[in-house]
Amino acid sequence: MIKTAREQELLGAIDPGKIPFHVAIIMDGNGRWAVEKGLSRHEGHRQGVETVRETVKNSSELGIKVLTLFAFSTENWKRPATEVSYLMSLPEKYFKSELPELMRNNVQVRLIGDREKLPRKVQKAVEEGSEKTKNNSGMILNFALNYGSRAEILMAVNRLINDTRDGKIKGGINEKTFSQYLYTSALPDPDLLIRTSGEMRISNFLLWQLAYSELWFTDVYWPDFSKVHLLEAVFDYQRRKRRFGKIQDSER
Ligand code: V0D
């Protein structure tokens, strides 16, 4: 494996003791990548899965402990039926080709989002994938599927109301109690959010959980997102943390 000069430079500059624990990624730009190359949108998504494969491997090697990938939002149902149908074939394809590698790399797969409204075959694929990897103790690979953050918050509120009615809530509700009602209850908040393809919005992704996260944007389309971009994001994250540390020190 030949490393570019920039990759070597970044690997030398990154502090292995301060890798962000939880990285979340909005994988945007597959369609635009394809159209600009004169390819079909399907081809963009196919290439997007390749980038998922690479990013999982690179993240796990870097020492990231939780990787959350926004794969399908509750708004994505508005896309053309043929595209939605193609997207829904990807989880099954992903596990067919990637399960051995996920096992080799000790990766545990989890899901966040509303599974109920997903096609049966998708539910089956993701349940099998998470079941087969549930004893892996390395990186958690958390796919957001049919996920929308406002809907998640409302689900939490409604469940809280029910538990309150049932007398299960003692005293008031604080941030910690509330967090336990979200899909991400078992996970720490993301330290770093990456969004590809030039959009600088959160787009209904992890609204509660991203309150204190560092945000990193790139114009690169998801299919072109590579190890160097991941390293750039982590390097920037560490630089911001260092600066923040200095300001705090000087204010003491
Ligand atoms: C297309 C770029 C992996 C974003 C990445 C159903 C759009 C590739 C999965 C996947 C998609 C999801 C769950 C799971 C295993 C794999 C995936 C969708 C789209 C939407 F348990 N890539 N991927 N799912 N794309």
Side-chain angles (χ1 to χ4, degrees), residues 77-91:
W77 294 109
K78 293 176 197 149
R79 292 187 178 182
T82 48
E83 185 175 348
V84 170
S85 158
Y86 182 72
L87 288 168
M88 290 302 153
S89 73
L90 294 178

Side-chain angles (χ1 to χ4, degrees), residues 27-28 30 44-50 52 69-72 79 84 86-92 94-95 109-111 118 122 125-127 129-130 141 143-145 222:
M27 308 183 288
D28 202 4
N30 301 288
H45 295 315
R46 198 195 326 275
Q47 199 54 52
V49 180
E50 291 301 313
V52 168
L69 300 179
F70 202 0
F72 193 86
R79 292 187 178 182
V84 170
Y86 182 72
L87 288 168
M88 290 302 153
S89 73
L90 294 178
E92 197 181 342
Y94 178 80
F95 287 118
V109 176
R110 296 195 200 172
L111 268 292
L118 291 167
V122 177
V126 300
E127 256 137 54
S130 43
L141 171 58
F143 281 105
L145 257 196
W222 177 248

Side-chain angles (χ1 to χ4, degrees), residues 45-74:
H45 295 315
R46 198 195 326 275
Q47 199 54 52
V49 180
E50 291 301 313
T51 308
V52 168
R53 183 202 320 276
E54 287 301 309
T55 304
V56 167
K57 180 167 152 278
N58 292 329
S59 301
S60 158
E61 280 173 10
L62 247 186
I64 290 165
K65 298 290 188 233
V66 183
L67 178 67
T68 296
L69 300 179
F70 202 0
F72 193 86
S73 82
T74 47

